[in-house]
Amino acid sequence: MAEKSIRKALIPVAGFGTRLLPATKAQPKEMLPVVDTPAVQYVVEEALNSGVESLLFVTGRGKQAIENYFDYSVELEKELKDRGKLDLLQEVREVGDLIHIFYVRQKRQKGLGDAIWYGRQFIGDAPFAVLLADDIIDARIPCLAQMAEVYREFPGIVLAVEQVPRERVDQLGIIKGRKVKDRVFAVEDLVEKPDPAEAPSDLAIVGRYILTPSIFDSIEKTTPGKGGEIQLTDAMKNLIGRENVYAYQFEGTLYGVGDKLGFLKANIAYALKREDLGPPIREFIRECLDG
Ligand code: G1P
């Protein structure tokens, strides 16, 4: 019987973060804070809260800060302990203790599909999740946990999707699907970043996937696509007909923190939700708008 739970995840973090330059010239985009917490931590917590037990970061040049972040910092912890402020590191410590984190380095940036391929030995023969750190999702039930539920009923590849304005379809992977249940579609076709005139729908793939190990063979057979890169979207498309592929319209709010507007929106939204920062920020925004 097919494995029903998702215990392993990949988080590709090798990208340059050009859409956030100059902030990302000398630091990973995944380490930029949303309020006081690096973006990547929100995504790792989502994995953890969705049942993932071990995860692999596919990293690249200049991304060592991510490894340092999830590692113990003996000197800093001693200093904070002496000052009675160790609680400031509590959340990172908990995540680091609860989830096993591994790292592999993508040698050259040849696309998302290629990055995923680096996870083949770590994953082995079970279904797994991919989370893109550019997408932070604020949801009552973590997005990946919602998808794992869908996977139990519809085993196969499960992609998270959301409806986007037509003018944005050329920046995203787009699906063609047939509704099989509320929020669930059987995927009949996938196109990476189509021309708005040629897009099969306005349902776009967001950075959460449940994949089956057959994806690795498919990636090997996938030739460079959009932007000359090995596209995960193309590798999934090549499996349609041999694997069941589903899309799931998740419940929650997506913040695309890989670009400046999404990054700013996430900071405002998460600050407003905080007990300590929410009221003064609300007040400040009011002042700015009235001024
Ligand atoms: C990638 C995928 C795309 C997907 C997007 C979601 O694109 O290739 O299909 O819609 O992530 O964030 P990228 O943002 O890496 O260009």
Side-chain angles (χ1 to χ4, degrees):
M1 202 178 84
E3 174 74 62
K4 289 279 183 192
S5 32
I6 310 300
R7 299 212 174 87
K8 289 184 180 174
L10 302 182
I11 303 188
V13 291
F16 287 129
T18 43
R19 284 178 296 162
L20 287 169
L21 279 169
T24 45
K25 184 180 172 201
Q27 63 181 329
K29 62 176 173 178
E30 296 80 8
M31 290 303 295
L32 294 179
V34 173
V35 186
D36 55 4
T37 301
V40 67
Q41 169 135 0
Y42 292 86
V43 177
V44 172
E45 276 175 9
E46 181 186 325
L48 180 65
N49 294 331
S50 303
V52 169
E53 293 164 3
S54 45
L55 69 84
L56 176 72
F57 279 108
V58 183
T59 76
R61 198 172 289 278
K63 299 284 179 160
Q64 292 89 332
I66 298 174
E67 292 176 48
N68 293 338
Y69 179 74
F70 287 107
D71 198 359
Y72 280 97
S73 169
V74 179
E75 304 84 350
L76 178 61
E77 297 208 1
K78 180 174 182 317
E79 173 77 19
L80 289 175
K81 196 171 173 202
D82 292 348
R83 293 205 263 144
K85 291 191 164 172
L86 204 55
D87 56 323
L88 291 174
L89 287 186
Q90 199 58 30
E91 275 175 38
V92 198
R93 282 174 132 235
E94 271 171 18
V95 169
D97 287 343
L98 290 171
I99 203 162
H100 301 287
I101 303 184
F102 299 84
Y103 300 89
V104 65
R105 197 144 148 164
Q106 186 185 16
K107 296 194 184 68
R108 268 184 296 160
Q109 287 196 24
K110 293 200 288 183
L112 180 58
D114 181 65
I116 300 307
W117 188 77
Y118 276 80
R120 69 201 182 285
Q121 269 143 350
F122 169 80
I123 295 300
D125 200 25
F128 63 100
V130 170
L131 300 99
L132 304 187
D134 274 358
D135 288 342
I136 292 182
I137 298 172
D138 186 17
R140 198 173 50 82
I141 300 169
C143 179
L144 184 60
Q146 296 176 38
M147 294 166 70
E149 196 58 44
V150 172
Y151 174 82
R152 273 185 276 278
E153 193 179 343
F154 298 95
I157 290 177
V158 180
L159 314 172
V161 292
E162 75 163 359
Q163 221 165 8
V164 296
R166 279 273 164 182
E167 61 272 17
R168 285 198 60 221
V169 297
D170 61 355
Q171 296 160 32
L172 297 157
I174 304 296
I175 71 147
K176 177 177 180 224
R178 178 174 47 83
K179 197 166 189 167
V180 289
K181 189 186 172 173
D182 187 34
R183 295 181 172 274
V184 183
F185 301 82
V187 174
E188 294 168 340
D189 198 9
L190 291 164
V191 199
E192 181 68 6
K193 304 187 173 117
D195 236 45
E198 281 154 27
S201 79
D202 58 359
L203 284 176
I205 304 172
V206 310
R208 299 291 183 274
Y209 309 77
I210 289 176
L211 299 173
T212 52
S214 55
I215 196 71
F216 296 114
D217 268 352
S218 183
I219 291 171
E220 269 181 37
K221 292 186 190 115
T222 299
T223 49
K226 201 90 193 178
E229 298 190 336
I230 308 287
Q231 297 291 351
L232 178 60
T233 303
D234 294 342
M236 294 188 301
K237 177 189 166 95
N238 294 339
L239 285 174
I240 295 173
R242 279 181 287 148
E243 284 271 347
N244 290 323
V245 181
Y246 299 100
Y248 167 65
Q249 237 176 329
F250 66 96
E251 287 184 65
T253 308
L254 169 75
Y255 297 98
V257 296
D259 67 63
K260 291 173 193 179
L261 184 59
F263 175 74
L264 290 171
K265 282 185 181 172
N267 269 286
I268 294 168
Y270 277 84
L272 285 171
K273 275 166 47 126
R274 285 264 294 248
E275 243 173 65
D276 54 344
L277 297 170
I281 281 293
R282 185 159 304 186
E283 184 57 33
F284 175 69
I285 292 172
R286 242 187 237 122
E287 277 168 29
C288 288
L289 294 175
D290 291 347

